[in-house]
Amino acid sequence: MVQKAKILLVDDRPENLLALEAILSALDQTLVRAASGEEALKALLTDDFAVILLDVQMPGMDGFETAAHIKRRERTRDIPIIFLTAINHGPHHTFRGYAAGAVDYISKPFDPWVLRAKVSVFVDLYQKNTQLKEQAALLRLQLEAGAEPAIGGALLGELSARLAAVEEQAEALTKQLEAGSDGPAAATAAHLERKIAGLRGALDALRPGSG
């Protein structure tokens, strides 16, 4: 059974958090609220998240500053951030969001279906990546314990097939972002592909005779 992913919702207005929960509840994942940038950073100290929905306009630490802190931490720097804003100051404001590390930038009021679709992509990639890491670790333990070569080969084949599905999905996401004009967002997707390539390398290293 696939473990539910955690999605961090950051907004200083309770009604906005409620609206986000209503939109994303259909994804059947764990939704975690944070009413400020500081509260979001505390949540990120202890939990792993598939994606962060971050309001730009917040009193005190705004979304840009919060994102900067997230990207500076080794533990959280690779978590996708989707910025949400009720105002649009034009291309410069949008670029600032991407420069802060966002993978997407959505103006309110947003289309609920579009937001759900964007979030679901990152949730799916997170869950597949988590499964692959766990199964690769289990396979390594089995091989070290002297599992039958045929069993190890079958598990490697299954893991390889699952990883291929993740690779295909990441490639599609990259093409989708590159189709727009937002270079930083495409760079983030490319970074995701590099991480998956690293996982592929680790999986290949488990094959007999690779060492």
Side-chain angles (χ1 to χ4, degrees):
M1 186 174 181
V2 179
Q3 185 176 357
K4 290 185 178 183
K6 291 184 178 180
I7 302 169
L8 183 58
L9 313 176
V10 190
D11 199 305
D12 63 296
R13 300 175 67 89
E15 63 270 26
N16 289 343
L17 290 171
L18 193 62
L20 286 173
E21 288 175 336
I23 292 170
L24 298 175
S25 61
L27 297 180
D28 193 28
Q29 304 301 321
T30 302
L31 306 176
V32 179
R33 285 189 175 201
S36 66
E38 292 86 353
E39 196 172 316
L41 294 176
K42 286 181 181 177
L44 288 161
L45 286 173
T46 54
D47 288 324
D48 293 323
F49 291 91
V51 61
I52 302 168
L53 274 64
L54 180 57
D55 184 43
V56 172
Q57 302 293 124
M58 295 187 294
M61 185 185 296
D62 67 11
F64 296 130
E65 188 178 353
T66 303
H69 282 288
I70 292 171
K71 293 301 176 183
R72 278 199 293 266
R73 292 178 178 176
E74 179 70 29
R75 174 187 171 93
T76 58
R77 65 176 51 172
D78 293 327
I79 302 175
I81 298 173
I82 298 177
F83 271 133
L84 305 175
T85 178
I87 58 175
N88 186 0
H89 289 305
H92 175 73
H93 195 258
T94 303
F95 180 79
R96 187 182 173 195
Y98 287 124
V103 297
D104 214 332
Y105 199 103
I106 303 177
S107 296
K108 304 173 187 176
F110 38 76
D111 184 323
W113 187 91
V114 171
L115 181 62
R116 257 195 314 271
K118 289 177 181 290
V119 171
S120 68
V121 169
F122 291 108
V123 167
D124 197 27
L125 285 170
Y126 173 84
Q127 289 178 326
K128 284 188 170 69
N129 198 31
T130 300
Q131 282 182 300
L132 285 164
K133 286 181 178 178
E134 291 173 350
Q135 290 172 341
L138 178 61
L139 175 58
R140 182 179 290 277
L141 288 174
Q142 289 177 326
L143 292 175
E144 289 174 351
E148 289 293 329
I151 296 175
L155 287 171
L156 275 172
E158 181 182 349
L159 282 175
S160 183
R162 292 192 183 193
L163 182 54
V166 178
E167 289 168 333
E168 184 178 345
Q169 194 168 7
E171 183 180 356
L173 176 61
T174 301
K175 287 180 179 178
Q176 176 187 342
L177 291 171
E178 286 176 343
S181 58
D182 303 309
T188 299
H191 175 73
L192 177 61
E193 280 197 308
R194 288 195 298 272
K195 287 184 71 66
I196 293 174
L199 194 57
R200 167 65 72 182
L203 185 60
D204 289 343
L206 291 174
R207 297 186 182 279
S210 62

